[in-house]
Amino acid sequence: MRRRVIIASHSMLSKGMAETLKFFEGEDAEFVVITAYVDNKPIEGIIEEIFADIPDEDEVIVLTDLMAGSVNQKFMPRIARPHTHLLTGMNLSLAMALTMESTDSYLTEERINQIVDEARNQVQYVNVALQALSEDDEDE
């Protein structure tokens, strides 16, 4: 079993995400990157080509930018494939956690939900978070 990671977005977000992941994880990190709608190629054909080359036993993690976006919608039929996970609203914390997870076994739904929760907690309004920290310090 091999884990494949597809990073797909409108325009260049996915390319930047992949480059940033390589910065942290090293140049050997492998991702399939889809920068949709920048070259007038239909995304359906790109997705078809990618999945045609993936053996059934391989796990596929797809990260997209927007839940209601067309890029995410085009991947939805693929979740019927075994060991295929579609996650949207990607951020760097989510992408790093998923791509650095052990490949000794398939990811479980429970583990993916834990990773999503952790990544969700990384989204913070820093003004308020710092204010709360200041108030905690004053209370001590």
Side-chain angles (χ1 to χ4, degrees):
M1 182 272 293
R2 182 174 167 204
R3 184 171 297 140
R4 313 285 185 121
V5 177
I6 301 169
I7 306 172
S9 70
H10 297 82
S11 194
M12 305 304 281
L13 177 65
S14 54
K15 182 178 180 188
M17 183 68 71
E19 288 174 3
T20 304
L21 287 167
K22 285 184 180 216
F23 172 80
F24 284 107
E25 298 177 22
E27 287 299 316
D28 292 339
E30 292 183 41
F31 314 104
V32 174
V33 177
I34 298 175
T35 54
Y37 310 116
V38 297
D39 57 7
N40 293 324
K41 288 184 183 176
I43 188 171
E44 297 89 347
I46 296 168
I47 294 169
E48 184 75 29
E49 287 176 23
I50 291 168
F51 276 86
D53 291 336
I54 300 175
D56 290 343
E57 68 274 5
D58 283 3
E59 184 172 45
V60 179
I61 307 290
V62 181
L63 300 172
T64 66
D65 52 0
L66 296 168
M67 178 65 168
S70 58
V71 174
N72 190 66
Q73 302 295 318
K74 301 296 182 186
F75 277 100
M76 284 184 169
R78 299 296 172 164
I79 63 175
R81 179 192 174 277
H83 313 297
T84 301
H85 310 282
L86 176 59
L87 297 101
T88 193
M90 70 175 153
N91 64 29
L92 185 57
S93 297
L94 176 68
M96 284 180 69
L98 288 166
T99 57
M100 296 176 82
E101 190 74 10
S102 171
T103 57
D104 291 342
S105 61
Y106 293 114
L107 286 169
T108 64
E109 185 176 317
E110 179 183 21
R111 181 63 187 133
I112 291 173
N113 278 319
Q114 289 172 341
I115 292 169
V116 169
D117 286 342
E118 291 165 10
R120 190 178 290 128
N121 288 332
Q122 290 295 310
V123 177
Q124 297 281 322
Y125 182 23
V126 177
N127 297 34
V128 173
L130 286 177
Q131 184 178 8
L133 286 175
S134 297
E135 290 170 2
D136 286 347
D137 288 346
E138 290 173 10
D139 291 342
E140 292 176 4

